[in-house]
């Protein structure tokens, strides 16, 4: 793994001269290490226990995140319900999801033990861990902002998943851009067109900058598509009931890449 250091060095040199190049190489090295660790941990098809662990942990920590700021608000409950509706849970699955959400917001919820179990089951399936973290960030934004207590909880989760702060902020920016895209889709009368995504949203969804070249952007696009592709996530243990979460993310990634390609073509 070397492309992260090379990319970081180029961006740093462009933006901050020799010192910026060194800083960029340090950041890029961290990204290379994360990707290498993910590749080493990747394994074969997931077991039913992995399916169950992902489903249960997701809704438990959605409840725990909602409670982190002191009390669960109506917007937190509405967000959880919207997720259950979007992924098309059956009545029995919905009842179980509500039960898990309530477990997570209970004072007796053992967060550290649940994180230990989560990482033990999902460590060989890094794309699922990434989807889990992204879902928690979206949950924190149910009321439009991240509360300090929610940020502390996210940091604890990142520590358990071996995600450092720079990597988290990269994920954070992508989630915000994807959230804006989904909000526009849901508020419009029909499906949102690719050209309706702002160029800055598109760059943020892919986690790249406007100054990056076409090759760098294509690499970022392919990496995200690989991480979030529903078939890959299903093989890693994503429950059937939660496929739609992955499909929504893929749609946003594809729309972002298309928006960037259209903008660059028109600029030439």
């Amino acid at each position: 793994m070397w492309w992260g250091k090379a990319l970081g060095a180029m961006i740093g040199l462009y933006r901050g001269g020799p010192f910026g190049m060194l800083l960029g190489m340090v950041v890029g090295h961290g990204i290379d290490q994360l990707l290498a660790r993910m590749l080493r941990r990747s394994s074969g098809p997931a077991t039913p226990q992995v399916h169950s662990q992902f489903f249960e942990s997701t809704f438990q920590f959605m409840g725990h995140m909602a409670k982190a700021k002191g009390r669960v608000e109506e917007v937190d409950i509405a967000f959880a319900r919207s997720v259950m509706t979007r992924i098309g849970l059956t009545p029995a699955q919905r009842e179980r999801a509500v039960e898990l959400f309530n477990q997570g917001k209970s004072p007796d919820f053992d967060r550290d033990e649940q994180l230990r179990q989560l990482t033990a089951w999902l460590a060989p399936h890094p794309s699922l861990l990434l989807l889990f973290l992204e879902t928690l960030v979206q949950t924190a934004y149910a009321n439009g902002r991240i509360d300090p207590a929610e940020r502390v909880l996210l940091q604890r989760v990142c520590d358990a998943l071996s995600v450092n702060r720079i990597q988290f902020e990269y994920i954070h920016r992508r989630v915000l851009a994807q959230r804006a895209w989904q909000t526009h889709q849901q508020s419009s009368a029909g499906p949102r067109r690719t050209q309706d995504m702002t160029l800055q949203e598109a760059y943020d969804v892919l986690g790249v900058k406007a100054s990056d070249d076409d090759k760098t952007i294509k690499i970022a696009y392919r990496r995200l598509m690989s991480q979030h592709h529903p078939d890959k996530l299903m093989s890693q243990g994503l429950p059937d009931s939660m496929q739609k979460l992955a499909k929504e993310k893929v749609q946003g990634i594809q729309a972002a890449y298309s928006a960037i390609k259209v903008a660059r073509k028109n600029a030439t």
Side-chain angles (χ1 to χ4, degrees), residues 6-25:
L7 175 59
M10 287 188 292
I11 294 174
L13 180 62
Y14 175 77
R15 291 182 171 271
F19 178 77
M21 180 179 72
L22 291 174
L23 180 60
M25 288 181 68

Side-chain angles (χ1 to χ4, degrees), residues 44-76:
T47 64
Q49 289 91 336
V50 172
H51 290 233
S52 176
Q53 186 68 55
F54 180 83
F55 181 87
E56 293 189 1
S57 294
T58 297
F59 284 102
Q60 282 177 332
F61 274 88
M62 285 177 68
H64 195 58
M65 181 65 70
K67 184 67 173 180
K69 56 186 177 294
R71 68 184 184 89
V72 179
E73 302 175 357
E74 279 300 318
V75 289
D76 299 314

Side-chain angles (χ1 to χ4, degrees), residues 1 3 12 14 17 21 24 26 38 44 47 56 80-81 104 135 141 170 179 196 209 213 215 217 236-237 239:
M1 285 289 178
W3 70 266
Y14 175 77
M21 180 179 72
V26 172
M38 284 182 168
T47 64
E56 293 189 1
R81 287 173 176 166
T135 302
Y141 272 104
Y170 167 78
R179 182 173 179 268
D196 291 331
K209 301 182 184 301
D213 59 26
K215 183 178 180 180
I217 290 171
Q236 290 198 5

